[in-house]
Amino acid sequence: PRWRCGRAILRSIDVYCLGKRWMYHVGAEKGGVVADFLNRAVDAAVAKMEMRSDPNPKPQSSQSQPPPRKPRFVCAELGTYCGYSAVLLAATIKERVPPGLDFRVYSTEIDADHLEVARRIVSLSGLDDHVTLIQFDPSKSRLSDALRERIAADEEDASAAAAESASASSVD
């Protein structure tokens, strides 16, 4: 799959930084620590999701409420820089997450130039469906508000898509 390019991109950045020009990024050694922590967090989220799931779900009528929202794992990064960490986070989660669990990495950045580089890196990685880059201006709003608003907007979009999918299924 295309998203596996993320690991190759991370290795390329590491090689470049070690051999040609130092760059302030997580890197392979600290990245391994982050990945281990993230794997434990994903495992805990999956265990929690499994505890909440009903072993005998009741069929829902098409007239009832919209389908339940798919469980979601959210990760927030403060400071995107070149996108290395966003790709690391998304690739690690993607490798670990079961099919029933949706996930998103939200990464915030103040500098527009850094954000543009990150957009390219994330796009090359094939993980752009799971990474949301947010340009943040601390003079205009609080970081927590910017994240909350973007996450809420994404959840509204996901709910609308699920409702549309459910209504399309009931028409068939």
Side-chain angles (χ1 to χ4, degrees):
R2 183 170 167 247
W3 64 266
R4 292 210 185 265
C5 294
R7 293 289 181 193
I9 288 168
L10 297 179
R11 278 191 300 279
S12 295
I13 292 172
D14 290 334
V15 166
Y16 177 81
C17 293
L18 288 171
K20 299 220 183 239
R21 182 170 183 205
W22 183 85
M23 191 168 78
Y24 190 75
H25 72 292
V26 170
E29 189 175 334
K30 286 184 277 183
V33 173
V34 170
D36 289 344
F37 172 80
L38 198 51
N39 283 330
R40 288 191 306 272
V42 169
D43 290 347
V46 169
K48 194 173 191 178
M49 179 183 78
E50 289 170 350
M51 286 177 20
R52 288 183 179 170
S53 66
D54 185 351
N56 302 310
K58 298 170 190 84
Q60 292 186 348
S61 74
S62 59
Q63 304 296 328
S64 69
Q65 301 173 10
R69 207 173 72 212
K70 193 174 173 181
R72 191 170 198 210
F73 185 87
V74 174
C75 187
E77 175 188 28
L78 311 180
T80 306
Y81 186 44
C82 69
Y84 184 102
S85 298
V87 171
L88 171 69
L89 296 168
T92 300
I93 297 168
K94 181 82 173 168
E95 290 166 355
R96 192 74 166 202
V97 75
L101 183 62
D102 187 21
F103 76 92
R104 171 123 340 241
V105 173
Y106 293 92
S107 185
T108 62
E109 179 58 54
I110 294 171
D111 186 295
D113 292 335
H114 289 170
L115 204 60
E116 186 52 38
V117 170
R119 282 189 210 293
R120 292 178 185 170
I121 297 291
V122 170
S123 179
L124 283 171
S125 76
L127 290 160
D128 31 0
D129 286 349
H130 298 287
V131 176
T132 299
L133 301 174
I134 303 168
Q135 185 164 5
F136 169 69
D137 183 347
S139 68
K140 294 183 180 176
S141 67
R142 295 185 329 195
L143 179 60
S144 59
D145 293 337
L147 276 168
R148 191 178 300 111
E149 288 169 11
R150 185 54 198 251
I151 292 169
D154 283 357
E155 287 180 354
E156 281 180 28
D157 291 346
S159 294
E164 185 176 305
S165 175
S167 69
S169 296
S170 66
V171 171
D172 294 342

